[in-house]
Amino acid sequence: MVGFGNSKNSDSDTYKNGSLSDAVINLDQGDPTAFQEYWMKIKDRCTVVIRGWDLMSYFSDTTNVCWFLEPELAKAIKALHGAIGNAATEERYIVVGTGSSQLCQAALFALSSVSEVKPVSVVAAVPYYSTYVEEASYVQSKLYEWEGDARTFHKKGPYIEMVTSPNNPDGTIREPVVNGTEGGKVIHDLAYYWPHYTPITRRHDHDLMLFTFSKISGHAGSRIGWALVKDVEVAKKMVQYLTISSIGVSKESQTRATTILNELTKTCRTKSESFFEYGHEKMKSRWERLREVVESGDTFTLPNYPQAFCNFFGKTISTSPAFAWLGCKEERDLASLLKEKKVLTRGGDKCGCDKKYVRVSMLCRDDDFDVFLHRLATIKDLKCIEP
Ligand code: PMP
């Protein structure tokens, strides 16, 4: 197979022809369109044909706790985790969901529904993934309640801590932080614990781990996520939630995910074909270019990440998170300032933090990324932008 090299050419062409788009660039959502190029290049290798009479039943395997999980998808998930070495799948129940967003809510339900008098507190360390706030508060459940920053949480009684590692929005590696309170349960959201984003330094084996197809290969539209769950009672409660919410998960999506996950596993050790090699090079190159722009001025800040030995790649690599946690050196509302430049980002305040920070998606299309860098480079002084 030819040509998965991430040439900087395609990214910089937009500069050369002098016709930079004037459009609004949306880097608020983490829509993972950056990887589409890879899937186009492998052409029909992952094309899935579903006939009119296929996949008609609600059921997949009535002997499984997760009765709507397609057995082939379960095998593909185990094989991929085995090949990458990022999570243990032995002696665990796999619960499939319509994205890991649905599974997060199923997990909150499962971990909090054991006859508590008061709602269970849900916390995450700042800066946190802003959607957790909505997931824990939108339906005003009596079972659980959003309590904000895990570092300052000291309430007595049961709680659930969301631990996202690498973290969305700032890419850091995280552990639980709640201190001095008993009865805590942890949901480990490992959406970005894949070698194109971060060195794989250990095989996670927590009680409840969430993964999403969206951020591995970029197939967010399939809406497939999975939970690896140790305790059968927790797995059963999650399945109960998913049954009430959507009577299972689309089998068309599960079939497509199976094909693509199997392709990822099959090619992961072949340098010229591996999606992870491709993704790692792409993310690394984007981060280098972003750092170049940020370091060429004295206006913005970015976190620095330690390099680490990646067990998957067998060498020391850098971290290239899916989001950039961009800050400005002055006390300004950075999201509003960038909006003036027609760049939409997620304000730090939505992540429980200061407005001088924004979360910028690094997973957009090449053209949008070029335009973003160009606009950022033109901001040499924040005073030149009037809010
Ligand atoms: N967890 C984290 C940390 C995420 O960033 C995302 C996607 N932005 C999700 C969960 C949800 O992913 P999905 O619902 O697409 O599977």
Side-chain angles (χ1 to χ4, degrees):
M1 168 165 316
V2 272
F4 280 123
N6 283 286
S7 62
K8 286 191 182 175
N9 299 352
S10 65
D11 279 5
S12 48
D13 280 351
T14 327
Y15 286 104
K16 273 188 233 138
N17 63 24
S19 60
L20 277 172
S21 154
D22 192 34
V24 172
I25 304 295
N26 191 338
L27 304 181
D28 174 353
Q29 286 135 6
D31 198 16
T33 45
F35 306 131
Q36 192 178 28
E37 162 195 52
Y38 174 93
W39 298 104
M40 285 173 86
K41 282 189 181 160
I42 71 161
K43 298 213 167 85
D44 268 344
R45 279 227 315 251
C46 286
T47 299
V48 176
V49 177
I50 296 167
R51 296 162 302 184
W53 58 90
D54 287 334
L55 310 173
M56 291 177 68
S57 169
Y58 283 117
F59 301 97
S60 294
D61 175 5
T62 49
T63 65
N64 192 336
V65 168
C66 187
W67 51 267
F68 45 80
L69 168 64
E70 287 288 301
E72 288 305 312
L73 177 58
K75 273 194 226 158
I77 288 169
K78 286 182 191 164
L80 183 62
H81 284 302
I84 303 299
N86 61 343
T89 55
E90 307 82 34
E91 291 164 36
R92 279 169 168 79
Y93 299 89
I94 299 178
V95 181
V96 66
T98 299
S100 77
S101 302
Q102 192 188 29
L103 288 165
C104 181
Q105 291 162 75
L108 290 179
F109 169 78
L111 296 180
S112 63
S113 60
V114 272
S115 65
E116 291 294 341
V117 186
K118 281 197 290 185
V120 175
S121 303
V122 181
V123 294
V126 163
Y128 42 67
Y129 173 41
S130 57
T131 305
Y132 295 147
V133 184
E134 286 144 22
E135 284 170 348
S137 50
Y138 191 69
V139 296
Q140 298 177 24
S141 167
K142 287 185 185 151
L143 294 174
Y144 49 81
E145 172 170 76
W146 177 250
E147 286 281 353
D149 190 4
R151 287 201 189 86
T152 54
F153 175 76
H154 296 297
K155 254 190 181 176
K156 286 213 172 345
Y159 69 90
I160 298 169
E161 180 173 354
M162 300 295 312
V163 176
T164 318
S165 188
N167 191 35
N168 170 358
D170 67 358
T172 53
I173 297 301
R174 290 190 148 186
E175 301 284 342
V177 297
V178 173
N179 216 336
T181 307
E182 307 244 310
K185 292 180 177 140
V186 180
I187 298 174
H188 288 267
D189 186 338
L190 302 176
Y192 303 96
Y193 192 53
W194 295 96
H196 44 325
Y197 300 122
T198 195
I200 302 301
T201 56
R202 57 183 281 211
R203 189 167 167 264
H204 282 294
D205 61 354
H206 309 290
D207 288 356
L208 205 170
M209 302 183 277
L210 300 182
F211 287 93
T212 167
F213 186 38
S214 310
K215 302 301 166 87
I216 308 175
S217 61
H219 292 85
S222 293
R223 312 302 306 122
I224 291 289
W226 59 91
L228 302 177
V229 187
K230 237 184 214 168
D231 182 342
V232 68
E233 295 310 320
V234 174
K236 279 184 188 163
K237 286 240 179 241
M238 289 180 71
V239 168
Q240 189 184 6
Y241 178 96
L242 295 162
T243 305
I244 295 162
S245 164
S246 52
I247 324 185
V249 174
S250 160
K251 294 199 176 25
E252 284 84 351
S253 286
Q254 293 192 53
T255 304
R256 186 174 189 218
T258 303
T259 303
I260 289 168
L261 296 183
N262 282 337
E263 178 72 14
L264 294 178
T265 305
K266 197 174 90 193
T267 57
C268 76
R269 290 279 164 212
T270 314
K271 204 167 171 37
S272 61
E273 297 191 356
S274 164
F275 171 80
F276 295 104
E277 290 277 354
Y278 158 86
H280 172 61
E281 286 305 318
K282 182 160 200 93
M283 297 307 294
K284 193 169 134 221
S285 141
R286 285 192 173 190
W287 270 92
E288 282 166 4
R289 294 178 60 209
L290 175 61
R291 283 198 191 281
E292 223 175 277
V293 171
V294 166
E295 283 160 18
S296 71
D298 195 28
T299 308
F300 300 109
T301 61
L302 279 174
N304 284 315
Y305 303 102
Q307 293 207 329
F309 187 84
C310 174
N311 296 335
F312 173 73
F313 285 126
K315 61 180 182 189
T316 299
I317 61 164
S318 51
T319 298
S320 310
F323 297 98
W325 187 235
L326 187 70
C328 60
K329 290 188 176 167
E330 292 176 29
E331 292 298 323
R332 301 287 292 270
D333 176 348
L334 187 53
S336 304
L337 293 171
L338 291 173
K339 202 169 167 195
E340 291 287 307
K341 289 277 179 186
K342 297 192 181 169
V343 177
L344 306 185
T345 57
R346 191 160 301 180
D349 51 326
K350 299 226 173 77
C351 309
C353 227
D354 207 289
K355 282 188 178 180
K356 68 191 256 192
Y357 295 100
V358 290
R359 189 194 83 163
V360 183
S361 171
M362 295 291 282
L363 299 180
C364 58
R365 292 180 203 285
D366 287 346
D367 284 356
D368 284 351
F369 192 67
D370 287 349
V371 175
F372 163 60
L373 288 189
H374 182 78
R375 289 184 192 167
L376 201 66
T378 61
I379 309 174
K380 291 290 173 216
D381 182 355
L382 290 178
K383 290 184 194 75
C384 70
I385 314 173
E386 286 309 322

